[in-house]
Amino acid sequence: MSPLPSSQPFRIHQFYDKGLAHASYAVLSGGRMAVIDPARDPQPYYDFADEQDAKIVAVIETHPHADFVSSHLEIAEETGATIYVSKLVKATYPHKPFDEGDRITVGQVELHAINTPGHSPDSICILLIDELGGTRAVFTGDTLFVGDVGRPDLREDEAIGGHKREELAAQMYDSTRNKLMTLPPTTKVYPAHGPGSLCGKTTSTDLDSTIGKELKTNYALQPMSRDEFVRVLLEDQPFAPKYFGRDVQINKQGAPAFEDSVRSVPHLQSGAPLEAGIPIIDTRPAAQFRQGHLPGAINLMDGGKFETWLGSILGPKEQFYLVADSQIALDTVIRKTAKIGYESNITGALLTPRELPATSPEVDVERVRQHPEQFTIVDIRNRTEAKQPVFDNALLIPLPELRERAHEVPADKPVLVHCAGGYRSAAGSSILKAVLPNVPVYDLGEAITEFQKQAVH
């Protein structure tokens, strides 16, 4: 990347993490840089500032994030930048309040705060005002996405505020109508999340937009009453992973330094004895796992959504072992674990032992096709996905609930587990295998796609 030309008053750079569908931003002007909603690893922001010969002077949090741990405190301590966040957050780290009427100068531009409660009671959006006083962009955090708005049901736990979803949804109605929808149509929209984020339900594949485009295409910005908006917004929201509430609390306090936390994870010899009762997360591909694994291990493959599913299956206070087949792979999953603040939960990280006594049976797909009634079929998709069933009489237990509800699965027939594409069923079948040691448990895996086509037709 080349430095910002002196003739260009500002530059916006988006950093995107596909694993968490998280977007963060650098606003660069006059050799100064502001970072908005940074991810857990601060290094990309340092690297960008160095490449642009810029000094990081501000870190802005649009709200205490539920779905990832932010590096705002680490960046401030490392660079001397000031953290700006709404006073409603009641943050315990050093910061300056950033609410309606407050503004920051960054080079030739100003960043203005507007309070936009709805996703959370303390959400703000940030307007970028150019040197002529024009509104050029709005950083919307989890208030407005491309094609959606942020879900209002993540702050109901008393530990993180006890805010009712209906009240926050009503506030979202006001924030969108009175604040965001009144901005100039040409204003660029830069949200904190993209497609696949669990902070919304119908997020577009586009990673930015304009106010004008959203007014035309975003279902949540169409004409409707407040009551209708609340009803529409609350229906069919996705599940909330177990770790969300804990990350809100971490982000209110500020997280420890990323690299220090990663290095503090205990590494064990591959043959070391493991303490009974502590979950083992085996991150290898399903085919390798089936050929041999540690007894009782959960096969959560390293993949695009590893962090989300780790924090959905395991609770925020649970200790666990982490297993991979190479040092590089192990380091990768440890760093992903740290993105949601679970690195301190790792009892030990280890490479795959040579002795792997447990195996998993291969599924006979043709038998499933001819005689599905011979199996207890467990559908571990989310409830919205399962509205279109693939098998008649399947038992629906979404993966985030499976460990707690495994006792509901009958043991009188072989068990067949399926999801929508094969990733989750590897985890689900391994969970049930540990609970039902005397019953064959099969993972339908990617073969589910064949049955889905038949179900459609």
Side-chain angles (χ1 to χ4, degrees):
M1 299 175 204
S2 57
L4 185 73
S6 58
S7 59
Q8 188 176 339
F10 69 91
R11 176 177 175 181
I12 297 169
H13 182 81
Q14 183 185 72
F15 303 82
Y16 194 70
D17 175 0
K18 288 185 178 180
L20 291 170
H22 164 227
S24 54
Y25 300 91
V27 176
L28 189 71
S29 181
R32 298 289 184 267
M33 182 171 135
V35 181
I36 299 172
D37 290 337
R40 179 72 193 275
D41 183 358
Q43 195 59 47
Y45 312 104
Y46 300 156
D47 292 343
F48 183 72
D50 288 344
E51 290 164 2
Q52 301 297 319
D53 195 23
K55 177 177 174 57
I56 300 175
V57 296
V59 187
I60 309 173
E61 290 285 279
T62 57
H63 64 293
H65 302 274
D67 60 310
F68 69 95
V69 174
S70 171
S71 60
H72 53 273
L73 180 58
E74 181 177 357
I75 293 174
E77 291 176 342
E78 179 71 22
T79 66
T82 301
I83 304 174
Y84 296 89
V85 66
S86 171
K87 64 184 178 185
L88 299 175
V89 170
K90 298 181 174 63
T92 59
Y93 49 79
H95 67 281
K96 284 190 176 180
F98 197 49
D99 292 282
E100 197 97 17
D102 295 329
R103 59 187 64 184
I104 307 165
T105 299
V106 180
Q108 296 169 263
V109 300
E110 287 186 345
L111 300 176
H112 294 213
I114 54 173
N115 291 99
T116 52
H119 171 68
S120 66
D122 40 33
S123 288
I124 60 171
C125 293
I126 302 149
L127 303 178
L128 188 152
I129 310 296
D130 65 19
E131 70 277 21
L132 300 177
T135 303
R136 299 288 296 278
V138 57
F139 300 91
T140 53
D142 287 14
T143 300
L144 176 65
F145 300 136
V146 181
D148 201 358
V149 292
R151 61 191 296 180
D153 59 336
L154 298 181
R155 294 296 185 89
E156 294 191 304
D157 192 293
E158 288 299 326
I160 49 176
H163 300 275
K164 292 184 178 179
R165 64 184 66 191
E166 292 82 7
E167 293 174 359
L168 285 177
Q171 291 178 22
M172 179 68 81
Y173 181 87
D174 294 333
S175 292
T176 51
R177 269 71 187 166
N178 300 336
K179 303 286 182 71
L180 296 176
M181 292 170 65
T182 62
L183 296 173
T186 55
T187 304
K188 290 283 287 185
V189 172
Y190 294 108
H193 288 293
S197 168
L198 290 172
C199 290
K201 58 182 179 178
T202 61
T203 311
S204 166
T205 55
D206 293 333
L207 300 183
D208 59 61
S209 186
T210 64
I211 290 294
K213 180 181 176 183
E214 293 307 298
L215 288 172
K216 293 177 182 176
T217 61
N218 191 318
Y219 79 94
L221 305 190
Q222 302 315 302
M224 65 183 93
S225 68
R226 179 183 279 99
D227 288 346
E228 184 181 3
F229 178 90
V230 170
R231 179 186 60 79
V232 169
L233 183 55
L234 291 178
E235 66 185 5
D236 293 335
Q237 283 290 356
F239 73 97
K242 294 178 173 69
Y243 75 93
F244 270 19
R246 182 195 188 188
D247 278 16
V248 170
Q249 293 174 321
I250 291 173
N251 286 324
K252 284 190 174 188
Q253 300 164 5
F258 176 70
E259 293 293 346
D260 290 347
S261 295
V262 167
R263 282 194 292 268
S264 69
V265 171
H267 286 256
L268 307 179
Q269 295 296 321
S270 63
L274 305 184
E275 187 177 338
I278 296 179
I280 301 167
I281 302 297
D282 189 325
T283 63
R284 295 174 300 147
Q288 292 181 28
F289 180 87
R290 283 194 292 268
Q291 291 171 4
H293 54 265
L294 293 166
I298 297 172
N299 184 205
L300 187 62
M301 294 181 280
D302 180 22
K305 297 293 180 185
F306 172 82
E307 309 93 312
T308 296
W309 291 115
L310 178 69
S312 300
I313 293 172
L314 297 181
K317 295 182 179 179
E318 277 194 276
Q319 296 294 119
F320 60 94
Y321 293 104
L322 200 57
V323 178
D325 60 2
S326 72
Q327 195 59 56
I328 292 175
L330 194 59
D331 290 343
T332 297
V333 291
I334 290 172
R335 296 175 82 84
K336 287 186 175 183
T337 299
K339 285 159 57 177
I340 64 167
Y342 268 34
E343 76 282 4
S344 60
N345 297 26
I346 302 175
T347 299
L350 62 151
L351 298 180
T352 312
R354 288 195 182 127
E355 296 295 326
L356 293 168
T359 59
S360 301
E362 292 283 348
V363 65
D364 183 345
V365 176
E366 189 57 32
R367 180 186 170 197
V368 176
R369 186 177 290 111
Q370 297 296 330
H371 297 287
E373 75 284 353
Q374 295 180 0
F375 301 85
T376 294
I377 299 177
V378 182
D379 181 350
I380 62 170
R381 295 176 298 167
N382 302 328
R383 287 181 173 79
T384 49
E385 297 173 281
K387 287 181 177 180
Q388 295 183 325
V390 180
F391 295 97
D392 293 334
N393 303 317
L395 177 61
L396 175 63
I397 307 180
L399 178 57
E401 304 170 18
L402 189 59
R403 289 176 69 217
E404 292 79 11
R405 297 178 57 196
H407 64 278
E408 298 177 22
V409 179
D412 58 334
K413 291 191 287 188
V415 173
L416 179 74
V417 181
H418 84 83
C419 60
Y423 179 87
R424 283 172 285 175
S425 60
S429 59
S430 60
I431 289 170
L432 291 181
K433 182 175 183 291
V435 177
L436 303 169
N438 300 317
V439 179
V441 178
Y442 297 99
D443 171 15
L444 188 55
E446 295 178 1
I448 184 61
T449 55
E450 302 174 27
F451 294 89
Q452 286 173 325
K453 291 175 184 175
Q454 294 171 6
V456 170
H457 293 101

